[in-house]
Each structure stands twice: as structure tokens, then as C-alpha cells.
Amino acid sequence: MKKLLAVFFMVMLVFVITACGNENANNEGNNEGNNTGDNGGGDVEVKTIRAGIGLNDQHPQYKGLLKFKEIVEEKTNGAIKVETYHSGQLGDDRTMTEALQLGTQEVTIPSTAPIANFVKEFSVFDFPFLFPNEEVADEVLDGPVGQKFLDMLPDQDLMGLAYWENGFRDLTNSKRAVASAADFDGLKIRTMENDLHLDAFRALGANPTPMAFTELFTALQQGTVDGQENPYATIYLQKFYEVQSHVSNTHHIYSPFVFLMSKSFYDGLTEEQQQIVKDAAVEAGQYERQLNREANDKYLADLQSEGMTFTEITPEARQEMVDLIEPVIAEYADAIGKDLVDEVYQAIEDASK
Ligand code: TK8
């Protein structure tokens, strides 16, 4: 009798273990953004968006991403779930964009500078001193010209759903106050991974180094580089004032962000879901821009109260920089194609009226 009971329990145990084993395999195997779950409307296929950014959770970009999550989960009644990752948890702008192409991540929001490594035409948006202000940038990016560039991304297995704002970039460094081009002489400046940025800073006399954002704070702290350039909100919220002592309002480039989605994931959505994620990216982008402008207006004063010296760049000094960089822009305009570049200039002129 005892033996019989033992055999019975052994069989039951094996049965339970096998049942559990089968369950885990499904999830692991099927973690490609789709899980069959119940979102309260009976069994539906719940699709998961893993959305990663390089900036931290205090930055307007992350607040915008949380807004996107809120809209999408509400509008799809939970059929699409958005997991958000900040501070480079999933990688840097370039590696996350590659992950979208591979379909191992669904969303990231890089600056246009690293995107130019995938679609070179995007370099036009990093031409120094291109946009006179944010309003003109909005009108051009949200208009037919901006859309023309987003339409170049599917060939790279990427969907561009909207433009968000990084902002006007300003120089910081730990060596000296920079008031004119001459003050750039020999400064080791970190730039984004973009050849135009490198060539532009060389033309100013600096010694630029391309580097992922995720490595920047440590490189500044260890003195591997003397300086960097980003909007005030990023300089303050990433605590660069702890490792930098001088800031100048060079405002040398207006950096747009592009809300990117993996094309394979996007193609797997229903038409209704595609419209929902598109509209959500646009709406959350408006919200992010507004927060970002408030942040950039606020944080320059805070940087100075954290002990950074502020140097105003005069119109003459800025014009000198424009003249020094002009040959670099001409070279990239040829590479991108003069007609397309002229179309951007025309759109800026029209929007500036
Ligand atoms: C964050 C970057 C950052 C950009 C840079 O991932 O790399 O300096 O300005 O915002 O996109």
C-alpha cells in the first residue's frame, strides 16, 4: 500500500512539474512584444512596447514618454502596454536605434544627429545656426518638409512618428569662459556621433571627440574631455554643473528629437492601433516641447546658482562662428543634395515671415 501511494505521488509530482515547465517556455519564446493576456475584454493579444531613452527620469523627454504611455494604454484599452526605460538602461541613441531595426526594442527617441548615420539627409537638421527659433522649427518639422524626412526612415526598418524637442545646444567646459571662436582653441569637446558636428567644431579650432551620451558624465568627470554641448535642461538635470564650470549661450544648433518605432512592430499593429500610436506620439510631443521650453528658460539661472559662470555670445562673435563653419555646411549640403537642402531653407524662410 505504502509503495502504491509513493508511486502515485511521484506520478502527480512529474505531472505538475511538466505543466509548469510548458508555461515558462511560452512567455520566454513569445516575448517579442506580444503576449496573450486579458485586458478585461476577454483574451486579446497584448502587445508590449519597450521604450528606451538616454536622458534621466527628470527630463521633459521622459515626462513626454510617460504621457505617450498613458495615451496609448488608455486608447487601446490595454491591448498595447508601454514599458518605459530611461538613463540609457537599454543602451545609447545609436544602439537603441539598431535594436529597433532588429525588432528587439520597439521605441526610442534619439536626436537627429545620430540618425544621420542611418539616413544621411537628416544631417541638414544639424546644420549650425539653421533654425532662428523654436516656433520656426516646429512649423518646418511638423510640415510637409519634416514629413518628407520621416518618410525616408522605413527603408531603414524604422518608422518616424513625430518630432520632439531636444533644443538649442549650448557649450559648457571646465577650462575657460568661451566668448568667441578663438576661445575654442584646442578645447577637447565631446560631440554626438555625427561627422558634421565633428567637422564644425574642428572648423572652430576645437579638438572634438564623438561619444555616446551614456559615457559623457564620466568622461567629463575624468577629464577625458574638457567640454560638451547640450540644452540647459539637459546640462542641469544630468548634473553636468558638478563637472563643468563654464557655460556660454552659443545656441549653435537646434536639436530635434525623432520619435522612432520599430517598423516590424509597427507593421504588426492593426490600422487603428497604428493611428493611435501615431497620434499619441504627436500629442505627447507637443506636451514634451512645452515642458522642455519651460525647463530651458528656468535652468540657466539654476546653473549659475550651482556656481557655473555664464558667458553671453555677442552677435558679432556668433557671426564669426557662422562664417568659420560655412564651408563645412556647403560640403554637407552637396553630399545631401542641394535641392533638398534648398527646400528646407525655403520652408524656414516661409515660416519666419
Ligand atoms: C540622449 C541624447 C542627448 C543628446 C546628446 O540620449 O547625445 O548629447 O543631446 O539628448 O540624445
Side-chain angles (χ1 to χ4, degrees):
M1 184 57 181
K2 271 203 192 137
K3 234 182 184 175
L4 207 60
L5 271 178
V7 171
F8 172 73
F9 278 116
M10 283 304 286
V11 171
M12 281 312 289
L13 195 60
V14 171
F15 180 73
V16 171
I17 291 168
T18 339
C20 295
N22 287 348
E23 178 60 28
N24 289 340
N26 283 349
N27 274 351
E28 266 146 22
N30 192 15
N31 205 0
E32 297 298 333
N34 301 340
N35 298 304
T36 305
D38 185 347
N39 70 335
D43 272 359
V44 294
E45 181 196 4
V46 175
K47 297 170 180 156
T48 302
I49 291 177
R50 288 158 294 186
I53 63 169
L55 295 164
N56 66 23
D57 59 357
Q58 298 309 303
H59 196 279
Q61 190 189 42
Y62 191 67
K63 305 271 167 60
L65 193 52
L66 293 178
K67 171 67 82 178
F68 172 79
K69 171 183 169 69
E70 182 194 313
I71 299 168
V72 168
E73 292 185 350
E74 191 201 316
K75 293 253 172 88
T76 63
N77 190 21
I80 299 181
K81 221 164 34 77
V82 182
E83 295 172 357
T84 58
Y85 300 87
H86 57 81
S87 305
Q89 289 168 307
L90 298 184
D92 59 61
D93 285 358
R94 183 171 51 73
T95 56
M96 288 194 280
T97 303
E98 288 163 354
L100 265 60
Q101 293 179 305
L102 296 170
T104 57
Q105 184 178 328
E106 286 71 36
V107 161
T108 190
I109 318 173
S111 301
T112 45
I115 294 177
N117 298 312
F118 299 86
V119 179
K120 70 176 185 354
E121 287 81 359
F122 270 82
S123 273
V124 68
F125 293 132
D126 284 82
F127 281 7
F129 310 107
L130 178 72
F131 290 111
N133 57 53
E134 290 91 346
E135 291 67 34
V136 169
D138 292 353
E139 199 168 321
V140 173
L141 295 170
D142 298 346
V145 167
Q147 187 58 48
K148 190 170 192 164
F149 285 82
L150 296 183
D151 294 342
M152 296 175 189
L153 291 164
D155 287 351
Q156 300 299 319
D157 298 322
L158 301 165
M159 298 301 293
L161 301 188
Y163 290 97
W164 289 20
E165 178 175 86
N166 191 348
F168 280 102
R169 307 178 75 84
D170 295 293
L171 181 82
T172 67
N173 81 91
S174 59
K175 297 289 181 211
R176 66 178 87 104
V178 171
S180 67
D183 299 327
F184 279 86
D185 188 36
L187 270 184
K188 290 185 289 180
I189 303 289
R190 173 267 177 180
T191 72
M192 288 186 279
E193 296 167 295
N194 177 286
D195 293 340
L196 169 61
H197 284 235
L198 288 169
D199 291 340
F201 277 101
R202 284 194 194 101
L204 292 174
N207 171 7
T209 306
M211 186 186 292
F213 186 78
T214 44
E215 298 159 29
L216 179 50
F217 189 92
T218 310
L220 292 169
Q221 196 172 41
Q222 295 173 348
T224 316
V225 291
D226 303 323
Q228 65 85 48
E229 34 84 60
N230 255 292
Y232 299 139
T234 298
I235 299 167
Y236 183 81
L237 293 168
Q238 303 286 149
K239 298 187 185 311
F240 288 168
Y241 53 79
E242 291 177 353
V243 288
Q244 298 277 271
S245 39
H246 302 279
V247 56
S248 304
N249 66 339
T250 47
H251 262 38
H252 51 279
I253 290 172
Y254 173 84
S255 257
F257 283 136
V258 181
F259 190 104
L260 294 179
M261 182 170 276
S262 156
K263 184 171 183 304
S264 57
F265 178 80
Y266 183 83
D267 291 346
L269 299 177
T270 65
E271 254 182 58
E272 189 204 0
Q273 289 172 333
Q274 288 178 345
Q275 196 57 50
I276 288 172
V277 294
K278 168 92 183 133
D279 295 346
V282 170
E283 184 182 339
Q286 304 294 352
Y287 172 71
E288 185 268 349
R289 283 174 175 167
Q290 188 210 326
L291 290 183
N292 200 48
R293 284 161 202 181
E294 288 160 11
N296 278 315
D297 292 346
K298 171 180 173 345
Y299 288 129
L300 176 56
D302 293 357
L303 288 173
Q304 291 171 82
S305 33
E306 290 292 347
M308 292 189 82
T309 70
F310 172 65
T311 304
E312 177 84 33
I313 302 288
T314 63
E316 298 72 33
R318 184 166 283 109
Q319 188 53 48
E320 186 196 7
M321 295 178 198
V322 170
D323 299 342
L324 284 167
I325 294 172
E326 209 282 321
V328 173
I329 291 178
E331 187 198 317
Y332 279 81
D334 286 347
I336 292 168
K338 222 173 158 325
D339 294 352
L340 185 59
V341 170
D342 287 348
E343 215 178 315
V344 174
Y345 285 150
Q346 188 58 52
I348 290 171
E349 203 179 310
D350 297 346
S352 305
K353 284 184 188 128

